[in-house]
Amino acid sequence: MRIADTLLRRGHLSEDALVAAWYSGVCPAHLDTCDLCTERALDVSRWLEQTRELGMAEADAAFPAERLAAQQAQILRRLEQLDRPSKLLSFPRVAAATAGHHDFASREHRHFAGWILAAAAAGLILGVIGGRLSTWQPTAPAVHTSAAATAPRTPKAPDTLRSLDQGADLLLESDPGQPQIRSLSAIDRMTPQGTVVRASNRRR
Amino acid sequence: MAEASPTPLTTREADACVAIDVKAHQAAGRLDAARERFTELVDRHQRRAIRIAFHYLREAADADEAVQDAFVKSYLHLGTFREDLPFEVWFTRILINGCLDRLKARRRRERWIAPPPVDTMGVERDPAEYLPSRGPSPEELVLLGERREQLSVALGKLPERQRLIFTLSHFDGQTSREVSAMTGLNESTVRVHLFRAIRRLRSLLAPGASHVKSRGSRRAHR
């Protein structure tokens, strides 16, 4: 028995001593002789038992078997991830250089890729040319003439245009460089000249 | 002539055997085998680890993560484990250190973040509480829940060190010498903290102590 118990508690055991007895499992001799301390020891023991049960039950309720199994699976997953060597992704060109890129497969691959590029370029060029050709419109004069046909006719051409026409006719009729074909000269003589026709039209 | 059956290994010896095997597998690069063998240690210590972490941290989610971290750390650093010491003590030390780090982080976090919403009784509500459950009758559940909550609140009111020592001694059944080895505290200091914790808990959980029931944040069962 401790001195403090002897002096302060008239020989009775302190609560700490009762707790220590419960934890150690060693029963103090005083408990055999003192009913009061035995009663207190039982009370402490009951309280400690209940608290332990409650505490364990609380933890077990928060972590049922399913949750523990899930936790174990999670632990194993994490360990597996740690054990797996990490992958380093290197830059492709560097990787090729380090791998000694003279193997047959890589050469074949590059050759094939070259052909694909050439075909794509040719296709592009052909496409551009085809596009240009399809947009080129040989019917543009026809469109112009049709537009002229649909447009309202002016009764008289302007003077400047008329004089230009006359000049062109004169040039055609008196072109010295024009080849003179004898067989056609008779027909030429029979055909009235443009200037004459125009002059007669004017007189009318 | 019947052969004498080999004496069964104690937990400590069995742990040491497993640890030696795991180390050997790790060294030989047989990582699958190492993990598989390590599962035995997880099986043996998971339940008690979760009890310690749960009572120390007072939060199920935190306890879950702390236990996971402790097992992962112990697997990674198994090379530093000495087989002449109990694995239990070594592992519990790792677990306690992890829990302490989490408590510190929580304190820092709580300094800046508002506390979780509480109901009119000042108790944090957990959606899981509204789910139907199996087991004892509703009355028993209510009583049990009340008592658990009282204990939980009372434990939460203990200083951290007292709570840890009480948890290890009372819920985990460790002797003061073992707790001393796990926490690095003097044996007599462990005893003093344990007695103080019990005295305080008994006063908090005494029939007339209504202040335990009314306040306190409940974080468990998340």
Side-chain angles (χ1 to χ4, degrees):
Chain A
M1 185 177 288
R2 295 190 304 182
I3 299 167
D5 292 343
T6 314
L7 293 174
L8 301 172
R9 299 174 192 88
R10 284 184 244 158
H12 292 300
L13 293 171
S14 69
E15 199 170 289
D16 289 354
L18 296 174
V19 169
W22 186 81
Y23 275 112
S24 64
V26 179
C27 185
H30 176 74
L31 289 179
D32 297 335
T33 56
C34 181
D35 289 343
L36 182 69
C37 285
T38 310
E39 189 78 17
R40 284 173 58 225
L42 277 174
D43 181 49
V44 167
S45 154
R46 219 175 290 130
W47 185 87
L48 287 169
E49 288 285 354
Q50 277 179 359
T51 317
R52 178 180 274 182
E53 272 173 29
L54 269 179
M56 304 261 245
E58 193 193 2
D60 294 349
F63 287 90
E66 303 86 51
R67 191 164 180 184
L68 285 182
Q71 188 189 50
Q72 192 167 343
Q74 180 65 22
I75 290 167
L76 288 180
R77 244 193 319 274
R78 284 177 66 179
L79 294 182
E80 207 176 326
Q81 279 172 359
L82 285 170
D83 280 342
R84 201 179 299 147
S86 51
K87 283 178 189 169
L88 281 179
L89 296 176
S90 52
F91 194 70
R93 187 165 291 187
V94 177
T98 52
H101 54 97
H102 292 294
D103 53 318
F104 179 74
S106 67
R107 250 185 298 158
E108 276 292 301
H109 183 260
R110 269 201 303 282
H111 192 66
F112 186 65
W115 272 110
I116 288 176
L117 276 175
L124 183 70
I125 292 165
L126 284 174
V128 169
I129 291 170
R132 285 289 165 106
L133 284 174
S134 68
T135 53
W136 180 67
Q137 294 174 344
T139 54
V143 169
H144 185 252
T145 48
S146 66
T150 51
R153 272 175 187 267
T154 48
K156 267 188 177 181
D159 288 344
T160 48
L161 282 177
R162 218 182 300 151
S163 62
L164 276 172
D165 280 354
Q166 282 171 10
D169 286 348
L170 281 171
L171 272 173
L172 278 170
E173 284 167 9
S174 58
D175 187 7
Q178 222 172 10
Q180 297 290 324
I181 301 163
R182 231 180 245 178
S183 56
L184 293 177
S185 58
I187 297 168
D188 197 23
R189 272 197 300 277
M190 284 163 66
T191 309
Q193 284 192 341
T195 47
V196 177
V197 172
R198 237 180 235 125
S200 66
N201 282 348
R202 251 182 238 140
R203 258 181 262 133
R204 253 188 267 159
Chain B
M1 210 160 65
E3 247 180 62
S5 61
T7 51
L9 292 174
T10 61
T11 312
R12 185 179 161 174
E13 287 166 343
D15 285 348
C17 280
V18 174
I20 290 168
D21 281 358
V22 174
K23 271 196 227 180
H25 286 311
Q26 281 178 334
R30 296 186 298 268
L31 299 173
D32 288 341
R35 280 198 304 275
E36 201 177 314
R37 200 86 172 92
F38 187 76
T39 316
E40 274 184 49
L41 286 176
V42 177
D43 273 337
R44 212 171 291 152
H45 295 281
Q46 191 182 11
R47 173 66 75 183
R48 59 173 289 275
I50 204 72
R51 279 179 184 157
I52 293 169
F54 178 72
H55 285 297
Y56 191 24
L57 292 170
R58 316 297 314 143
E59 193 175 330
D62 253 6
D64 191 347
E65 282 176 22
V67 169
Q68 281 186 35
D69 288 351
F71 276 116
V72 170
K73 265 186 200 166
S74 61
Y75 177 79
L76 284 177
H77 301 285
L78 206 61
T80 63
F81 168 64
R82 283 164 38 206
E83 289 82 20
D84 54 323
L85 293 172
F87 174 82
E88 194 180 41
V89 172
W90 182 71
F91 171 73
T92 310
R93 237 186 145 133
I94 293 175
L95 177 68
I96 289 169
N97 286 337
C99 289
L100 259 175
D101 288 345
R102 280 178 184 275
L103 279 177
K104 281 182 200 163
R106 190 195 289 170
R107 270 201 296 271
R108 277 197 297 271
R109 205 169 50 229
E110 280 170 358
R111 215 176 290 160
W112 300 104
I113 299 171
V118 291
D119 67 1
T120 49
M121 297 296 286
V123 176
E124 186 189 335
R125 303 311 297 175
D126 182 0
E129 287 174 10
Y130 302 112
L131 295 173
S133 61
R134 301 161 290 167
S137 71
E139 286 160 15
E140 284 171 334
L141 272 180
V142 168
L143 280 173
L144 189 67
E146 231 171 64
R147 281 162 63 203
R148 270 189 208 158
E149 192 167 317
Q150 283 172 18
L151 177 64
S152 171
V153 173
L155 278 170
K157 282 177 185 287
L158 289 180
E160 271 169 29
R161 191 169 281 183
Q162 283 183 21
R163 191 164 68 232
L164 172 65
I165 287 167
F166 181 75
T167 301
L168 290 172
S169 304
H170 199 61
F171 297 133
D172 200 30
Q174 306 286 345
T175 63
S176 48
R177 180 171 293 185
E178 286 165 335
V179 175
S180 161
M182 285 169 187
T183 55
L185 293 170
N186 196 321
E187 241 187 282
S188 55
T189 311
V190 168
R191 271 197 295 271
V192 167
H193 279 305
L194 177 63
F195 295 148
R196 279 185 191 162
I198 289 172
R199 249 181 273 153
R200 182 138 169 77
L201 281 176
R202 272 171 74 78
S203 71
L204 286 169
L205 295 170
S210 57
H211 56 285
V212 173
K213 296 170 192 169
S214 58
R215 273 188 315 221
S217 67
R218 184 182 155 86
R219 294 161 182 277
H221 308 294
R222 237 186 239 171

